[in-house]
Amino acid sequence: MAERSDVTRNRAAILDAARALVAEPGELRLSAVAKRAGVGQGTLYRHFADRDELLRALYEQEIDTLVALAATLIEEHEPTEALRRWFAQLAAYARVKGGVIAAVEDSVWADLSTRTHGKLGQALTGLLGAGSAAGVLRDDVDPRDVILLSWFLAHVEAEEWEVRVPRLLDVLLAGLLR
């Protein structure tokens, strides 16, 4: 049975509100999420039983978006530009990830991390493979190398993000070029 359109719309609004709020300083409060989403508390709780469930769904949605984006970028752009654009989205995702990491308990984070690294690896396999096949990216770098190198995103302070992250992503991309 297909979900009603208002149910789908409410879930999307809740996730959008959580995405915006998790990037802000302070504790993520479900009441603030419901208010920003324009839904009542009951509606929020019908979709997400608690804060960890909401954050898990938000994190998984971000990963799924990154994975889908990789395939689209490979089709629409030459490999270096595809990887550059994917890195830009990875940086945007890192802001959400940082908020999620700060908000969830270690046990929830370990579960999320285990489930999502494989998806990111698949996305990077496609991006790196396209670049290697085109002769523009190194073929001795694997997805885990890139994931490990991109962890710097978790350590960039908010006040330096706009200046530092684009430069660091350029350095990362340059290191992948042949």
Side-chain angles (χ1 to χ4, degrees), residues 15 19 33 36-37 62 89 102 107 112 128 153 155:
L15 288 169
R19 182 178 300 103
V33 172
R36 178 158 302 180
E62 294 293 316
Q89 189 62 39
S107 61
L112 284 172
L128 295 173
L153 292 165
H155 303 286

Side-chain angles (χ1 to χ4, degrees), residues 1 44 54 69 77 82 110-111 116 126 137 139 142 152 163:
M1 175 193 265
L44 186 142
L54 171 61
L69 180 63
H77 301 281
D111 179 50
T116 57
L137 294 180
D139 56 9
D142 67 26
F152 73 85
V163 174

Side-chain angles (χ1 to χ4, degrees), residues 66 69 73 77-92 124 127 137 165-174 176-177:
L66 274 172
L69 180 63
L73 291 173
H77 301 281
E78 58 88 17
T80 305
E81 182 61 21
L83 194 54
R84 181 182 317 281
R85 289 174 184 243
W86 193 81
F87 280 162
Q89 189 62 39
L90 178 66
L124 279 164
L127 289 161
L137 294 180
V165 168
R167 185 174 62 243
L168 291 172
L169 288 174
D170 284 345
V171 169
L172 177 56
L173 184 58
L176 296 173
L177 298 175

